[in-house]
Amino acid sequence: IGRPVAGMRAYVLDGHLGLVPEGVVGELYLGGVGLARGYLGRGGQTAARFVADRYGGGGGRLYRTGDLVRRRGDGELEYVGRRDGQVKVRGYRIEVGEVEAALLKSGHVVSCAVVARDDRLIGYAVGSGDGAGLRDDLRRELPGHLVPSVVVWLEALPVTPSGKVDRGALPAVTGAVEGVAYRAPRDRTELSLQQIWRAVLPVDDIGISDNFFDLGGHSLLAISLINRCNRAFHADLPLRILFEQPNIEGLAKALRGRQQPRAFSPLVALQPDGFKPPLFCIHPAGGTVFCYMHLARALAPDQPVYGLQASGLEVGEALPRSIAEMAEQYLQSIRAVRPHGPYHLLGWSFGGIVAHAIASRLRRDGETVALLALLDAAAPQPGGTPPDDGTVMAELANMLALAGPGSAPTSPTENIADLTRIVRDSGMFPSDFTAAQTERLLAVYELTVRLPLGHRPEHFDGTAHLFVAGDSSDPEPLAASWAPFVGDTVATVIPCSHERMTAPKAAGEIAAVLAALVRSEIPPPDQQLVAAK
């Protein structure tokens, strides 16, 4: 901010009104010709802001600006921040102005604000760039405890009527580190760890790649987290593992192989919290349910979401012999969570056939099925010719490639080693997925291809809500396939391919429709209370 104008004097003082050395941050005091005598009619405010000038002589006064500055070697004053901007985060006293000054120096930021929330330092920036790259720049400028754990990019900072930054109006941050793409859990271990991290950290949406310390974690929280992990997994992980593997993906890799075998249960709690009737999502071909993580994340945090995973993916699990047997097994698990309706069921592709079978069985028992959602699922056509083993393997490989980040078909697949590589590259399974696990995945996938050929659906007397992949653009064939087996159909077209129905963008659009459908089934709070009594 340069030097004092003619006739004015500037002093950089500490809390005891002593001069601070060159380069040290202090508060800026101004004195000299033209300085006001005080605030009109405000004696208390005048006493707080105007102090005796012990350096200029003559009984004058100095004005306490509240600005934090440092004097450089060339005599110029460098603005650091405001004294009233001091915050405390994890025991450190931090001048947010100093962090804001570093943000502005990066060259990518035109305006910014830094606040402390939930024991984390949060940066808000207007400009161009990405959060991860900017935080790397800040690490070269600032001590570690001054680097914001999250940088949020805004189109503009909110301001008060007087034009100052309205820090109270800055948006809340409930997600992971900006600039790091959210990656959902891909197996039960990663899902369990995510739920433990949520209990320890002040963050809701934690991806498996997010760094524990970037999310506000520190040594005391690290002890708590490792203790919880050891109790949950019956392990003895040392504290240092969190510094070596500071994300869920790495920690899960360290835990795999140390876990005790567990009794099979098809039920996977993707999002167990909330008072609403749960949404039960039945696995597609392949048998896993972690494809629904983006959907669970897109729904409201008080909407419980459970997945029904296929038997046979783990060692020693038997494969079901029919869709009816599979539906009965899943229904037992559903009733363990929710003994009576209303029930909300969803299935993608093959999962839609099983969801319909469960809905039909529930209606036969006199239960209410408030929602049957079928994601690009066609009714089965009994009597077809089952594909050979090579075709099944190629179909699975192609499905994984199209559903993965590359969205490109694969080259021909001839053996388990090739398929294992494709499984890992898809990003849908952990990187340490083994050939033995691939063989079980292939067996379950082959089962889901063959079982519909011998299945004749019962009639479900309710409405089937169809979500049709927009690549086909015509919902009529899908609706027509279900017409003999449901009371009515309502179709919504989602602009995506069949393989991308549960990818983040499509999942968000589906979640918006589902939320409206589920909301229409929930009675108001006063009626809920009467029902409970």
Side-chain angles (χ1 to χ4, degrees):
I1 54 176
R3 304 170 183 269
V5 297
M8 298 296 291
R9 301 189 307 278
Y11 301 96
V12 185
L13 307 180
D14 60 21
H16 303 288
L17 301 184
L19 291 167
V20 302
E22 180 183 291
V24 175
V25 175
E27 186 170 359
L28 177 63
Y29 287 75
L30 299 176
V33 179
L35 187 69
R37 296 180 181 178
Y39 292 95
L40 181 61
R42 299 180 183 177
Q45 194 171 358
T46 297
R49 285 291 192 176
F50 290 83
V51 301
D53 182 358
R54 65 171 74 170
Y55 301 104
R61 290 183 172 187
L62 295 176
Y63 174 65
R64 180 182 184 183
T65 66
D67 290 336
L68 296 173
V69 300
R70 63 167 66 90
R71 193 182 300 278
R72 302 193 317 200
D74 58 5
E76 298 274 322
L77 293 171
E78 181 180 337
Y79 177 77
V80 172
R82 292 283 302 170
R83 177 163 293 283
D84 54 13
Q86 189 179 80
V87 297
K88 192 172 184 179
V89 176
R90 300 194 296 276
Y92 292 102
R93 292 195 178 276
I94 296 171
E95 302 290 351
V96 295
E98 186 172 0
V99 184
E100 291 170 353
L103 280 167
L104 292 170
K105 285 175 63 177
S106 71
H108 301 291
V109 178
V110 295
S111 60
C112 63
V114 175
V115 298
R117 287 179 178 167
D118 297 323
D119 212 25
R120 289 194 299 166
L121 205 58
I122 312 296
Y124 297 86
V126 177
S128 61
D130 67 89
L134 181 56
R135 290 175 61 256
D136 288 340
D137 291 342
L138 292 177
R139 286 191 183 98
R140 290 188 283 270
E141 287 283 328
L142 299 169
H145 68 280
L146 294 184
V147 177
S149 61
V150 180
V151 176
V152 181
W153 290 95
L154 303 175
E155 291 187 3
L157 296 175
V159 295
T160 64
S162 63
K164 295 183 178 180
V165 175
D166 188 352
R167 295 176 186 271
L170 290 166
V173 176
T174 58
V177 177
E178 192 76 9
V180 178
Y182 176 85
R183 296 176 63 209
R186 301 161 298 180
D187 65 3
R188 291 177 188 255
T189 302
E190 291 178 350
L191 179 63
S192 298
L193 285 173
Q194 185 192 58
Q195 292 166 353
I196 291 171
W197 283 42
R198 282 176 175 168
V200 171
L201 294 167
V203 186
D204 291 330
D205 295 335
I206 302 176
I208 62 171
S209 301
D210 296 328
N211 187 294
F212 174 78
F213 301 100
D214 286 346
L215 294 176
H218 50 80
S219 56
L220 292 179
L221 288 181
I223 294 170
S224 174
L225 186 137
I226 290 299
N227 286 339
R228 286 172 183 254
C229 290
N230 284 335
R231 287 197 301 270
F233 293 98
H234 305 289
D236 57 350
L237 296 175
L239 181 60
R240 71 173 186 276
I241 193 106
L242 193 57
F243 296 90
E244 298 167 357
Q245 305 285 354
N247 57 37
I248 290 172
E249 183 176 26
L251 206 54
K253 192 170 183 178
L255 279 166
R256 290 189 193 100
R258 302 190 187 199
Q259 301 178 57
Q260 299 295 322
R262 68 175 91 186
F264 171 72
S265 169
L267 205 65
V268 179
L270 301 176
Q271 206 297 96
D273 300 326
F275 70 92
K276 297 176 182 176
L279 176 65
F280 295 97
C281 302
I282 291 79
H283 63 83
T288 66
V289 294
F290 297 96
C291 55
Y292 294 120
M293 285 302 300
H294 292 298
L295 180 64
R297 184 171 177 246
L299 291 166
D302 61 352
Q303 173 62 64
V305 181
Y306 291 87
L308 278 302
Q309 179 168 291
S311 173
L313 290 171
E314 301 294 338
V315 176
E317 295 173 0
L319 294 171
R321 292 165 294 185
S322 67
I323 285 178
E325 180 183 321
M326 188 180 287
E328 181 63 31
Q329 183 185 48
Y330 297 169
L331 185 53
Q332 291 179 16
S333 296
I334 288 171
R335 281 178 161 155
V337 174
R338 189 170 181 82
H340 299 287
Y343 289 98
H344 296 88
L345 304 171
L346 178 146
W348 174 29
S349 192
F350 170 82
I353 299 173
V354 183
H356 176 271
I358 296 172
S360 303
R361 169 62 193 276
L362 285 168
R363 289 296 299 127
R364 193 172 4 120
D365 293 346
E367 292 287 359
T368 299
V369 178
L371 174 67
L372 173 61
L374 309 179
L375 275 55
D376 217 40
Q381 303 296 321
T385 303
D388 58 54
D389 293 345
T391 301
V392 170
M393 183 179 287
E395 283 182 2
L396 175 57
N398 204 49
M399 181 196 75
L400 290 170
L402 288 169
S407 298
T410 68
S411 56
T413 308
E414 299 179 354
N415 54 53
I416 289 297
D418 287 343
L419 186 59
T420 302
R421 174 183 51 77
I422 293 167
V423 167
R424 292 172 178 170
D425 291 346
S426 72
M428 299 168 62
F429 298 88
S431 59
D432 55 350
F433 207 76
T434 65
Q437 288 174 300
T438 301
E439 288 182 338
R440 291 194 291 272
L441 176 66
L442 179 61
V444 172
Y445 181 79
E446 182 177 11
L447 184 78
T448 59
V449 170
R450 296 177 187 273
L451 286 185
L453 300 177
H455 177 66
R456 176 72 181 178
E458 295 183 39
H459 187 269
F460 170 65
D461 60 3
T463 298
H465 292 271
L466 304 178
F467 292 85
V468 183
D471 282 7
S472 62
S473 72
D474 183 7
E476 288 303 321
L478 213 58
S481 74
W482 285 107
F485 311 116
V486 298
D488 193 14
T489 58
V490 176
T492 301
V493 176
I494 303 297
C496 67
S497 66
H498 174 81
E499 293 81 10
R500 306 293 290 174
M501 283 294 285
T502 57
K505 187 175 185 299
E509 296 187 25
I510 293 170
V513 179
L514 290 178
L517 293 172
V518 172
R519 188 162 52 244
S520 67
E521 299 292 338
I522 299 175
D526 56 341
Q527 293 183 25
Q528 291 183 44
L529 189 60
V530 170
K533 290 180 180 179

